[in-house]
Amino acid sequence: MTFQDTVTTEPTLFFASDNGAPVHPKVMQAMADANRGMAMPYGNDPLTAAAARQIRDLFEAPEAAVHFVGSGTAANALSLALLSPAWGGVYCHPLAHINNDECGAPEFFTAGAKLLPVPGAEGRIDPDALRATLAGMSTSVHTVQGAALSLTNLTEIGTAYEAAQVAALAGIARAAGLGVHLDGSRLANALAASGASPAEMTWKAGIDVLSLGGAKGGMMNAEAVVIFDPAMAREFELRRKRAGQLTSKMRFHAAQFHGWLDEGLWLDLGRHANAMAERMRQGLGPDRLLAAGTGNIVFADIPEAAQDRLRARGALFYNSRTVRTSEGRPACRMVCSWATHPVDVDAFLEAVG
Amino acid sequence: MTFQDTVTTEPTLFFASDNGAPVHPKVMQAMADANRGMAMPYGNDPLTAAAARQIRDLFEAPEAAVHFVGSGTAANALSLALLSPAWGGVYCHPLAHINNDECGAPEFFTAGAKLLPVPGAEGRIDPDALRATLAGMSTSVHTVQGAALSLTNLTEIGTAYEAAQVAALAGIARAAGLGVHLDGSRLANALAASGASPAEMTWKAGIDVLSLGGAKGGMMNAEAVVIFDPAMAREFELRRKRAGQLTSKMRFHAAQFHGWLDEGLWLDLGRHANAMAERMRQGLGPDRLLAAGTGNIVFADIPEAAQDRLRARGALFYNSRTVRTSEGRPACRMVCSWATHPVDVDAFLEAVG
Amino acid sequence: MTFQDTVTTEPTLFFASDNGAPVHPKVMQAMADANRGMAMPYGNDPLTAAAARQIRDLFEAPEAAVHFVGSGTAANALSLALLSPAWGGVYCHPLAHINNDECGAPEFFTAGAKLLPVPGAEGRIDPDALRATLAGMSTSVHTVQGAALSLTNLTEIGTAYEAAQVAALAGIARAAGLGVHLDGSRLANALAASGASPAEMTWKAGIDVLSLGGAKGGMMNAEAVVIFDPAMAREFELRRKRAGQLTSKMRFHAAQFHGWLDEGLWLDLGRHANAMAERMRQGLGPDRLLAAGTGNIVFADIPEAAQDRLRARGALFYNSRTVRTSEGRPACRMVCSWATHPVDVDAFLEAVG
Amino acid sequence: MTFQDTVTTEPTLFFASDNGAPVHPKVMQAMADANRGMAMPYGNDPLTAAAARQIRDLFEAPEAAVHFVGSGTAANALSLALLSPAWGGVYCHPLAHINNDECGAPEFFTAGAKLLPVPGAEGRIDPDALRATLAGMSTSVHTVQGAALSLTNLTEIGTAYEAAQVAALAGIARAAGLGVHLDGSRLANALAASGASPAEMTWKAGIDVLSLGGAKGGMMNAEAVVIFDPAMAREFELRRKRAGQLTSKMRFHAAQFHGWLDEGLWLDLGRHANAMAERMRQGLGPDRLLAAGTGNIVFADIPEAAQDRLRARGALFYNSRTVRTSEGRPACRMVCSWATHPVDVDAFLEAVG
């Protein structure tokens, strides 16, 4: 067996993760285009400057600092470190990626801040719950000090916040003196679902720092952190270097963003992934659906027999640790991506029966 | 100006850094080849397994754990965190990258270990100095506890350790109970310079953990950590995730290594870069040379007028903060890469006059 | 006003905290007795050795390592750092002191471990809830890894665990591979309430590391950490020094413990504090009581008018952030100490009316 | 053997450490005086306020924040954490306590700052070396960022800085944008040696944060941090709590300071300790002395035979790891304290011969 033989050929029914999708050809092309000649390393090259400018333009944020890192976990954890001291509290939904799926990266990067879950239905923080929690926030030296609110859009269960919902929550947080972070690892899907502009969903709604995800949406391994208050930019750069996230050949991070953002590709890809999920939701029918997502993630109550049938045909999907059926069994979680084809969805639905 | 217009066209005389070189076409091709279909994310894909296997084979280390990360700084800092507790001391050369050029990443990842410089001529730790230092190492609870030795090969000033020199230093360290790390961000150049095999230069010489660098040698943004004692592998995986270095589309890190290592390309590229530097050394002549490197880095005493002439022609190189001329002026530091062409060197030499 | 004039004279009705009590005269005497001549610092003195031996004897744990620190927060946080890596999860009751009242000290000392609340009535972790939580514990690299269970006895709301209850919870935790910590800042009260021996309540019940509190029980500023598995002792000593908790004149920490433990004084003082609380509970009557404590803390539903009356007479007590009346108002929280006098309780009860 | 039998009776010739001395009777008395009635814990008591006021008065610093902690290591490490971010560099003398004797506490409390030694004769940082070092300080994102200068007075080898010397070094540091910390674990000895006032030696000389040591000077286990810029006070309080240094019965830390500072006792004790050392220096004669200290520490070249004779008589002193004889043997290090008696010194001298 040679190395090439090990390249994964497309599973028939891959719904395990949008991270399993390949890189979009336009992103690959932008990387190839960037691979010409010498360039100053560590972001001191014109491509990096151009991609940052492109993002500032897209978000209508001419003053924002834009920096690239290599993973969504790093983007989130570095962003939170800007907003919370080591003795800070970071409010988030119990299901948030930062709370469950990053092996404590936020605690590591902040040197020990505490994530404080605030509940809410369908993956969204409930404004009343947030208001009540912040009203009871202590400034006693014996407790961690409320520092930041972190929202996720799309949420972890595929629901979207509308821009107005983000603004409401951010407003509550800012009134309490907190900074506000948005985990946008699926921001493209959220924007596609809501129709809001990038600016409306972020700084116009009160977001201070945005993790702008690319890998789940068709890029390879670049994420951007958009810091709407540039006063925090220098600290970010030092934290990024110190975290081993200042990649030397930065032009390739930049190129990925260029290829992905150009001509609205990112939103097209997000719209497509959402549409594939919607096709699956339609096919499954309302009785089987769990969680009311409009994004690219589907939770459903699928009988064991049907699950066996799916897996026998090579389907890949997870049984959820967080969303459960009315009888308490783990829901089936299917994630669509930019690379999901309608025939894949249809084959899945057919196997479900 | 469009985005494409900003792509850096090759400067005539780029010797600022081997990180400024483009990605080797075979590496690009391997990434393109890997971009087929779906693949399980986070390293649970066959390409990642194959690339790890390839590295184990190359290092004749069937038990070693091999994990990929996104930067050399991360590779080093995560490696050191395996070898040193927070209260540990890590011995290294004063000029080591971990000591000067990572903004405290080793301290961050180890939660506060202390780097303890041990001097030595030409960028190499002096065995007698190491022996004396370790002989005086205290186990008092009031001091940090000696935990690890970190070597760099090529050193920061372009000299190479022979395998026997690595073994001598590692032996002294191991006799004192220390673990041994090798920063191999330019290991290919060191192997090319010395003729030793990968195994001879690493585990056979007493190295416990290796940072195997790729970016400086022609890759894009992947580095490998080779853990010769697999008992540390699980901790490494947790630390990697927590550090935001577990990239989701891992197959592209793996593919880079595949393209780079296959058929000895990495050593060919290292050999080429060394040869370009040797061409420059020959052209400058022994009187101008500073530091006795055999790798891809050249330090020289170049008169101000010649420096001005070079820069006027677009030459990019640094004035060193560490290597100085006999009169105390900063040396000129020129780094060659896999992409350096003989005509570049000759043009440089001609401008020096 | 001279300095002496500022010495707090006894408030009539001080129930704010057992930390507000003075130091017991026998503890003061032991410190005075220790203040003779020179002694090797940092614990290398015979008094420190003797006090450690006394604690080992008392706990029937001849192999245990015993080390002194300066605060309960430090004792807890250092203990947890022995049991949990930075990427570990520490299960505790939502009301635990480590979770609410230490400004993130456990996160600081562990370099970022995550506290994971497990609910239960009356301040005690529910065994079924713990069992269910640990059954769902993931070993995925994406999540923190379950590392330790931390119990508190007395609990934060004044209830006591019986030794059998501690053993049941510790058994569940150990079966899942966790270490077990006991926050014993009020262990004397718990032992007095339950009648168990120190050994029965700790290592015989499965406790690995104990924070043995002194300040709340009549000491001045010393706490002990009892490490039943001495293999962890060396790491503890290094962590203690690094945390600034290795006091130079250690003999005075030791002397405090000697004075406090000798002839069972600590248990007598705990019994007295519990009895004063019981006197208050009897006086208030079951209808007013909230939480079913048997220790030295009382929660009660006291009408606003009575609260005003109490405060007008100088009473000091807190309105609880955690225990609430059936109507949702904060409960009144009264803490008795070794120095509480029956007439204080009676005066309080009289003012309540 | 009972506990009391283990109390160390005075060694004849104890010169191992000033930390080995007992607590001065006036300090003990102040603690006994404070042990009346109830007091609000955690520093919310009138004694703590009074002691802070006393220190502010003594330092002519009405705006300063004064906070008590339990060890010199904690005082230093918390102070540095106010002045340096995790990615900061802290310049200090190679022999500084923070660099050698705190097991990495500064790195722990700052979350990884780097100590950067600046040499100088006789334990004092050389102004020219500092100036040169700071002139070469890089602001590149690849290196730690110069953040603070930490001075020690008395130095580790018993020499004193004059106030003008402190001012000169602090001036150089402040001009480079650094904050300045003074480790005053032996400040009383330094003031006694130099005749400067507390204010002249600290904020008037450019010190931002002072660790004011007590244990070595006759106290039991309290140290003060004096923060001349009160804007940093809130952060200090949170860091202190989080570090387990907010002792509950704070009135006893305060009382120690009251007893020690009142009527200039601290300076009298420092003067006495210095005088005892001077008596020893006179007795040993200039030919045997090493390091030109004027404080309470003596380094001398004592022949092996005389060392044996001393130890046979029960003398306790250390062989230095840092100060050496002209032949390279470790110097003998003798530390005098407030409790050293002239007859002790004379007995020592007699044994030396």
Side-chain angles (χ1 to χ4, degrees), chain C residues 118-142:
Chain C
V118 182
E122 298 183 349
R124 296 186 199 91
I125 290 177
D126 179 67
D128 289 336
L130 180 63
R131 204 174 284 112
T133 299
L134 297 188
M137 196 168 76
S138 169
T139 58
S140 152
V141 75
H142 299 277

Side-chain angles (χ1 to χ4, degrees), chain D residues 16 41 54 72 95 114 120-121 133 174 184 225 231 239 300-301 344:
Chain D
Q54 188 172 10
L95 300 180
K114 201 175 180 73
T133 299
R174 295 172 78 102
V225 175
R239 287 187 179 275
D301 181 354
D344 297 334

